[in-house]
Amino acid sequence: MSNNRGRGLQANALGTFDTVVMAVAGSAPAYSLAATTAVLVGSVGLASPAALLWCAIPMLGIALAFSYLGRIDVNAGASYSWVGRTLHPFLGFVSGWALVVSATIFMVAGSLPAGSMTLSLFDADLADNVALSTVVGAAWFVIMLAVVLGGARLTVRAQLLMSGIELAILLLFAVLAFFHTNNARTFDWSWLGFSHFDGVSGFASGALIAAFYYWGWDVTSNLSEETRNSRRTTGLAGLVGIGIVFLLFEVFTIAANVILSSDQIAANDANVLGVLGEEVWPGWGGKLLVVAVMLSTIATLETTLIQVTRSLFAMGRDRTMPAALGRVHRTWNTPHVAIAAVGGVALVMFVASNALRSVGEILSDAISAIGLQIAVYYGLAGLAVVVAYRKMLFKSAGNFLLGGLWPLFGAVFMFWIFVESLGELSTAAITIGIGGLAVGLIPMLWYWKQGSDYYRPAKLDATRTVEADWVPDDHATAHAQAYEGLPTDF
């Protein structure tokens, strides 16, 4: 393993503000609202704000798990490393693989909307042209690939620009919606309760969709080796990010319930925000919110690229995947081999999915299947923190609640979503979701046989945090616990 540990990522590239921006962009508020509101309303109706509210509580438990684990193990692989060093290396690999597969599927799924949204700004009819949308979407993806290749600082600058404009537009419309008078119905506090759900199964289907809204904030943990004061910053940024997107999700979902009729939402399932914008500000409103959605989609392509490439970098460095994935570019300090590999695979899948109708249909099931994979790696992280902190849980009420009980509740909730969704999803979606995870058994068993040190881990224990610092190339030892440039808070 020492051969791969020589060169690290660009240390101290991101500050706290940068990391919060990445967390918000990872959850893609405008994209999530535009693409998923109709699905959520179709599933639970007026209970959509309640689904987002009650799913935020276990999601915060998972964010607390990431925060506590990030304090004792700074690793670009995040849950891949934590789960492997607490529960079992096989489960750790599955956790990392689940992120890689779900993120790759999402990048393919997210590129087409990026293309069609861009075209719709010029001509609404062009947005329906699949071939043209594919070309424009692929162009945006390649641009984001180049930005991510250019390093963490360039990535954050691009993110600040895109997410800054997106959030400014969303905040403007949140205020305009509040003063809008021509409403379809009156706000009711019962929308935040349980009375509108169709029993437990109805709540489960709403929570499953709501979990997709929040996914992505954990990109901060994958950037931990490139963040200043990362043992504190990455976890805090994830929590702040969830708080910000939660408020945006609630405001706009309630606004959709108040201002739009059920028929309007159903008829505009691809872009509910555009219709909401037209109602609130006729003429300009729809266009501005389409810009917000386009920027949000492109921004989340970037954060998803970060997640998948940093995870593969950690796997390559540990030799649980081809060692070349763990190489870092000498100028840009980015995992260029992992970025090129992911870019190539995603572009081939993207073009194929839009060129062959049958593949495109499979892809819509694949988007549903992402939920299964998210639930796996979030749930495992929730269990991992309890094991890592088991000797410290009863030393303070804070440790017990924030490092134990709440993350455990989040983990149980994620696994419950996983089981419940098996009854909701199509056979194809389940096949892709479970099959995508099963494919990972091949590299896992192969590199386990090769004797990767990852499969003989030093157990992660909160009472014995490794307080390691930078190890230069020429002094790296066989079992060096530090990565180059890794800052420590202690």
Side-chain angles (χ1 to χ4, degrees):
M1 211 149 71
S2 60
N3 295 338
N4 278 351
R5 289 221 167 160
R7 187 165 189 81
L9 299 165
Q10 185 180 2
N12 301 323
L14 311 182
T16 305
F17 179 73
D18 304 327
T19 319
V20 170
V21 169
M22 295 301 280
V24 172
S27 290
Y31 171 82
S32 299
L33 285 162
T36 324
T37 297
V39 183
L40 186 60
V41 171
S43 176
V44 296
L46 293 174
S48 45
L52 288 162
L53 169 64
W54 298 111
C55 189
I57 296 168
M59 191 60 77
L60 274 172
I62 301 302
L64 284 166
F66 273 70
S67 176
Y68 270 72
L69 288 164
R71 293 178 194 179
I72 57 173
D73 181 23
V74 177
N75 192 296
S79 60
Y80 154 79
S81 172
W82 304 330
V83 174
R85 293 182 60 192
T86 51
L87 306 180
H88 193 278
F90 283 2
L91 289 174
F93 185 89
V94 167
S95 186
W97 184 259
L99 189 154
V100 168
V101 174
S102 57
T104 304
I105 293 170
F106 180 79
M107 285 186 293
V108 175
S111 294
L112 187 63
S116 60
M117 288 283 172
T118 306
L119 291 168
S120 73
L121 291 173
F122 302 98
D123 186 343
D125 294 332
L126 285 177
D128 297 325
N129 186 324
V130 175
L132 200 54
S133 294
T134 302
V135 171
V136 177
W140 276 124
F141 181 74
V142 170
I143 291 168
M144 287 304 103
L145 208 63
V147 169
V148 171
L149 186 64
R153 286 199 178 94
L154 177 62
T155 301
V156 166
R157 284 189 192 120
Q159 199 59 260
L160 285 169
L161 178 66
M162 293 185 291
S163 295
I165 296 170
E166 173 201 352
L167 291 175
I169 293 171
L170 288 177
L171 289 173
L172 170 65
F173 277 87
V175 173
L176 291 174
F178 185 76
F179 291 106
H180 185 72
T181 52
N182 186 19
N183 298 332
R185 56 179 75 83
T186 308
F187 171 73
D188 193 318
W189 284 104
S190 68
W191 296 350
L192 296 169
F194 290 96
S195 59
H196 292 284
F197 289 111
D198 183 18
V200 175
S201 61
F203 174 72
S205 60
L208 178 67
I209 298 161
F212 301 160
Y213 273 80
Y214 291 107
W215 178 50
W217 53 267
D218 50 305
V219 65
T220 59
S221 296
N222 298 104
L223 283 165
S224 60
E225 293 181 36
E226 296 153 271
T227 305
R228 288 193 294 280
N229 200 11
S230 66
R231 292 180 191 268
R232 184 188 69 88
T233 303
T234 55
L236 177 66
L239 289 162
V240 172
I242 287 180
I244 292 169
V245 296
F246 164 72
L247 291 172
L248 287 170
F249 290 157
E250 284 295 349
V251 166
F252 278 90
T253 308
I254 290 170
N257 270 3
V258 169
I259 295 167
L260 303 179
S261 66
S262 302
D263 291 340
Q264 279 177 297
I265 293 171
N268 296 278
D269 58 345
N271 188 13
V272 171
L273 273 192
V275 187
L276 187 66
E278 276 298 319
E279 286 285 334
V280 172
W281 186 2
W284 275 96
K287 284 269 194 233
L288 275 174
L289 278 175
V290 166
V291 169
V293 175
M294 179 191 80
L295 290 171
S296 180
T297 311
I298 297 162
T300 201
L301 282 176
E302 185 191 81
T303 57
T304 310
L305 265 170
I306 290 275
Q307 283 198 283
V308 71
T309 54
R310 296 315 187 263
S311 296
L312 285 172
F313 163 75
M315 290 169 145
R317 179 174 62 191
D318 289 345
R319 295 188 185 278
T320 56
M321 289 284 277
L325 295 171
R327 287 187 197 145
V328 172
H329 195 278
R330 290 203 163 273
T331 306
W332 300 317
N333 284 92
T334 50
H336 59 296
V337 179
I339 291 168
V342 168
V345 169
L347 279 173
V348 168
M349 285 173 64
F350 177 48
V351 173
S353 69
N354 294 304
L356 305 171
R357 183 170 171 75
S358 59
V359 180
E361 288 164 1
I362 290 170
L363 201 66
S364 66
D365 289 314
I367 297 165
S368 305
I370 289 173
L372 296 174
Q373 292 151 357
I374 299 167
V376 166
Y377 86 86
Y378 276 179
L380 287 171
L383 295 179
V385 73
V386 178
V387 175
Y389 278 83
R390 65 192 181 281
K391 295 174 186 172
M392 298 177 68
L393 291 180
F394 295 101
K395 293 195 173 175
S396 75
N399 274 3
F400 180 74
L401 176 64
L402 304 178
L405 195 60
W406 203 341
L408 182 62
F409 167 67
V412 170
F413 187 84
M414 289 300 151
F415 292 130
W416 179 68
I417 279 182
F418 181 92
V419 173
E420 281 291 324
S421 66
L422 292 178
E424 302 281 330
L425 299 179
S426 66
T427 307
I430 293 168
T431 304
I432 294 165
I434 307 293
L437 293 175
V439 170
L441 297 177
I442 299 167
M444 182 180 83
L445 294 172
W446 172 261
Y447 286 99
W448 172 62
K449 283 284 209 183
Q450 300 296 308
S452 163
D453 283 355
Y454 174 81
Y455 294 105
R456 296 187 296 277
K459 285 292 181 185
L460 199 56
D461 186 336
T463 60
R464 294 197 313 272
T465 303
V466 178
E467 299 176 22
D469 211 336
W470 175 60
V471 177
D473 283 4
D474 53 352
H475 289 97
T477 60
H479 298 286
Q481 290 295 316
Y483 306 133
E484 181 184 356
L486 176 64
T488 179
D489 293 354
F490 300 100

